[in-house]
Amino acid sequence: MADGLSVFLVEDEALIRMMMADMVAELGHHVVAEADNVRDASAFAMTAQYDFAILDINLMGLYVDPVADLIERRGKPFLFATGYGPELLPSLLRRRPILRKPISIDQLKAMIDSMFPEATAQTPR
């Protein structure tokens, strides 16, 4: 894990997606796949090679839960990054970690560290 974690990033707002990708990189990890809609995200969810995913809940008016289901089927960890609350998620997904937008790099680092404690010593900051 010396090269950091690989991240699948799903966010429909281009500026927010770029900002989050920059934060991921600053923390020593790397984005390996990005999507801004449910169709593309579903394809990447099943085919991309990543350690975990960051998912916005609402993608252009559609909820991301089908993508989350696919990621869960692969046994990959994921978190939600959203301005919405967990009440919009199906009950089985409400137990997943949620970061509220706007997200700071310190919040993102703390969440990644809690999900991957073995990576904590590897990440800068």
Side-chain angles (χ1 to χ4, degrees):
M1 214 170 295
D3 293 334
L5 299 165
S6 56
V7 180
F8 172 34
L9 180 57
V10 180
E11 168 62 57
D12 62 344
E13 296 289 336
L15 291 176
I16 294 173
R17 193 172 59 251
M18 288 188 306
M19 178 196 71
M20 291 179 67
D22 287 346
M23 286 193 291
V24 165
E26 189 173 331
L27 292 173
H29 309 300
H30 52 283
V31 173
V32 295
E34 295 181 25
D36 66 356
N37 62 71
V38 171
R39 186 192 70 233
D40 293 344
S42 295
F44 284 132
M46 292 305 293
T47 60
Q49 295 303 312
Y50 54 91
D51 294 313
F52 77 101
I54 301 172
L55 308 175
D56 186 9
I57 289 178
N58 184 325
L59 300 172
M60 299 180 198
L62 298 174
Y63 293 120
V64 77
D65 49 300
V67 179
D69 288 339
L70 293 171
I71 294 169
E72 192 165 53
R73 279 193 226 155
R74 281 187 74 183
K76 300 281 187 182
F78 60 91
L79 64 94
F80 294 107
T82 184
Y84 297 103
E87 62 278 357
L88 294 177
L89 295 169
S91 60
L92 291 176
L93 295 176
R94 290 183 189 165
R95 69 184 186 281
R96 295 294 179 165
I98 295 180
L99 285 174
R100 294 292 186 118
K101 293 177 185 173
I103 298 165
S104 73
I105 193 165
D106 293 330
Q107 290 171 315
L108 181 59
K109 181 182 182 334
M111 185 66 72
I112 293 170
D113 289 351
S114 72
M115 292 173 69
F116 297 92
E118 68 279 6
T120 302
Q122 305 284 329
T123 35
R125 267 194 138 238

